[in-house]
């Protein structure tokens, strides 16, 4: 049995290259993230995933597939409306909003499971509203209480499909203007204010059994001088000890601008592990992935491996069976009416 290492890598194109197959076999690699560049159509995706599984049967295969503008696989997949649409429905009819949140998440996760994909990094639990351009309509609502209710329904819908939910971005990316993909966001608020607003949905979902979270590449200087994903204050003291979170902690992409406050990719990876993160995303810069795999050394941790193993999803359904089911057809119809 290959233990899942703490590094999640990516692929250049539509099929698995020989050098990429070698990288997937590296003992530090435990995950693979797919992007839009890795997708042409359902047949190609099926072949790609099969070729990856032939090399590493137990690897965790993930994608950012939330709906709206963050949907990596489009042609041949159900088009998922932005999450904010659920907030709009919830504002008019809370029961309907909650029911649809569960059904939409179930459909989205079930389609991915039909291709043997283990995870999508969802739901977004950040606050909506005008402040954060990068979050915007990816958020379920502007109010933390409503996000908590809709987020829990989303988590349960994913669980119905046999997939673990990953709440993001702890402790909240919705209250900063800058986009951490290209800038260095700072959130100057005290912890008490962040806890009362941005952290509330995460705390509620942790209490309800949230399996995993993704950290924000945001610095909260009143709490720690390091970005949240490099901070043991956030990961160990606040998430693990104060909130009792025992699931998987993913970094956001360590090649994003906000992560490069630490220049060296190996040092970045080491700091994230030391802070208490379980899985390090090293994407879109193959040279960084190579450096991390060559330089990180033996960081095996049995408890981390056990947490990561729980992220592998349950048996997939066939796409034909899924699409023939009444729940799928009814949910797809409500989605189509909202897109």
């Amino acid at each position: 049995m290959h233990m899942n290492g703490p590094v999640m890598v990516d692929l250049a194109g539509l099929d698995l290259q020989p050098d990429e197959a070698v990288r997937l076999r590296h003992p530090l690699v435990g995950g693979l993230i797919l992007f839009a560049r890795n997708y042409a159509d359902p047949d190609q995706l099926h072949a790609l995933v099969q070729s990856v599984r032939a090399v590493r049967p137990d690897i965790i295969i993930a994608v950012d597939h939330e709906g709206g503008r963050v949907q990596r696989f489009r042609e041949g997949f159900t088009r998922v409306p932005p999450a904010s649409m659920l907030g709009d429905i919830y504002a008019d009819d809370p029961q309907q909003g909650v029911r649809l949140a569960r059904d939409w998440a179930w459909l989205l996760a079930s389609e991915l499971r039909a291709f043997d994909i283990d995870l999508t990094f969802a739901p977004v639990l950040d606050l909506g509203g005008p402040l954060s351009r990068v979050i915007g309509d990816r958020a379920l609502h502007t109010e933390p209480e409503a996000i908590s209710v809709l987020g829990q329904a989303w988590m349960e819908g994913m669980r119905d499909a046999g997939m673990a939910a990953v709440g993001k971005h702890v402790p909240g990316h919705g209250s900063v203007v800058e986009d951490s993909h290209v800038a260095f966001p700072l959130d100057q608020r005290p912890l008490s204010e962040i806890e009362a607003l941005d952290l509330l949905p995460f705390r509620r979902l942790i209490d309800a059994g949230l399996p995993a979270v993704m950290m924000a590449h945001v610095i909260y200087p009143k709490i720690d001088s390091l970005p949240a994903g490099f901070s043991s204050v956030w990961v160990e003291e606040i998430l693990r000890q104060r909130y009792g979170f025992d699931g998987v902690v993913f970094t956001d992409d360590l090649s994003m601008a906000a992560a490069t406050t630490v220049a060296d990719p190996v040092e970045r990876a080491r700091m994230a592990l030391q802070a208490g993160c379980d899985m390090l995303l090293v994407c879109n810069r193959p040279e960084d992935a190579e450096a991390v795999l060559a330089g990180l050394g033996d960081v095996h941790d049995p408890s981390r491996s056990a947490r990561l193993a729980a992220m592998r999803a349950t048996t997939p359904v066939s796409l034909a069976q899924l699409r023939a089911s009444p729940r799928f057809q009814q949910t797809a119809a409500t989605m189509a009416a909202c897109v």
Side-chain angles (χ1 to χ4, degrees):
M1 175 71 183
H2 196 301
M3 299 301 277
N4 282 100
V7 180
M8 179 170 273
V9 296
D10 58 352
L11 304 174
L14 297 174
D15 45 25
L16 182 65
Q17 298 301 311
D19 62 321
E20 293 171 334
V22 171
R23 190 180 299 151
L24 292 185
R25 289 191 186 97
H26 193 288
L28 287 175
V29 171
L32 171 68
I33 180 168
L34 300 175
F35 291 95
R37 67 171 180 269
N38 306 123
Y39 183 75
D41 57 55
D43 289 342
Q44 170 271 332
L45 180 63
H46 179 70
L48 176 61
V49 172
Q50 280 199 312
S51 66
V52 168
R53 293 279 182 222
V55 171
R56 276 292 302 281
D58 60 332
I59 198 167
I60 297 161
I61 302 179
V63 63
D64 263 331
H65 197 83
E66 307 163 4
R69 60 199 154 98
V70 184
Q71 179 167 342
R72 303 298 185 220
F73 311 146
R74 290 180 179 265
E75 192 64 44
F77 272 74
T78 303
R79 196 157 159 219
V80 181
S84 62
M85 195 75 74
L86 291 166
D88 295 343
I89 294 165
Y90 180 84
D92 290 336
D93 183 344
Q95 278 183 306
Q96 169 83 335
V98 169
R99 191 172 59 75
L100 287 181
R102 185 166 185 156
D103 284 342
W104 289 14
W106 168 81
L107 183 146
L108 181 150
S110 295
E111 277 196 331
L112 294 173
R113 288 301 305 124
F115 291 87
D116 201 11
I117 290 167
D118 297 297
L119 284 181
T120 175
F121 292 117
V124 171
L125 298 175
D126 301 306
L127 302 188
L131 202 55
S132 173
R133 291 188 298 270
V134 71
I135 301 302
D137 66 0
R138 295 166 64 194
L140 287 159
H141 204 278
T142 55
E143 295 297 323
E145 292 286 356
I147 294 170
S148 303
V149 173
L150 290 167
Q152 184 166 340
W154 185 289
M155 175 178 82
E156 288 164 357
M158 289 178 74
R159 192 166 60 208
D160 293 348
M163 185 180 282
V166 184
K168 65 186 187 186
H169 306 81
V170 173
H173 202 315
S175 298
V176 289
V177 173
E178 302 89 352
D179 175 356
S180 53
H181 292 83
V182 294
F184 298 90
L186 284 177
D187 188 333
Q188 299 285 0
R189 296 172 303 157
L191 180 59
S192 57
E193 196 176 324
I194 298 168
E195 282 198 307
L197 295 167
D198 304 64
L199 271 167
L200 185 79
F202 293 101
R203 297 182 72 176
R204 292 277 164 80
L205 265 72
I206 286 167
D207 289 344
L210 182 65
V213 298
M214 176 177 274
M215 303 302 293
H217 283 323
V218 177
I219 298 172
Y220 307 82
K222 298 271 198 308
I223 293 92
D224 195 355
S225 60
L226 292 166
F230 298 135
S231 165
S232 61
V233 177
W234 280 115
V235 180
E236 291 291 352
E237 291 179 29
I238 296 176
L239 257 186
R240 296 272 191 226
Q241 290 165 29
R242 189 183 300 194
Y243 300 163
F245 178 66
D246 59 4
V248 169
V249 178
F250 289 89
T251 68
D252 209 334
D253 180 7
L254 294 183
S255 301
M256 281 163 54
T260 59
T261 44
V262 180
D264 176 57
V266 182
E267 187 55 28
R268 240 177 280 158
R270 193 167 280 128
M271 284 176 66
L273 279 181
Q274 285 168 349
C277 294
D278 295 304
M279 183 69 93
L280 320 173
L281 277 69
V282 188
C283 318
N284 300 315
R285 288 176 60 90
E287 62 275 25
D288 284 8
E290 285 302 318
V292 168
L293 296 179
L296 198 54
D298 181 15
V299 290
H300 177 60
D301 175 344
S303 56
R304 185 200 305 126
S305 289
R307 284 194 294 271
L308 290 173
M311 293 293 100
R312 280 281 279 121
T314 54
T315 318
V317 291
S318 85
L319 201 56
Q321 279 179 320
L322 175 67
R323 289 185 173 160
S325 72
R327 185 178 186 184
F328 185 96
Q329 291 172 0
Q330 285 160 9
T331 304
T334 65
M335 283 178 164
C338 290
V339 174

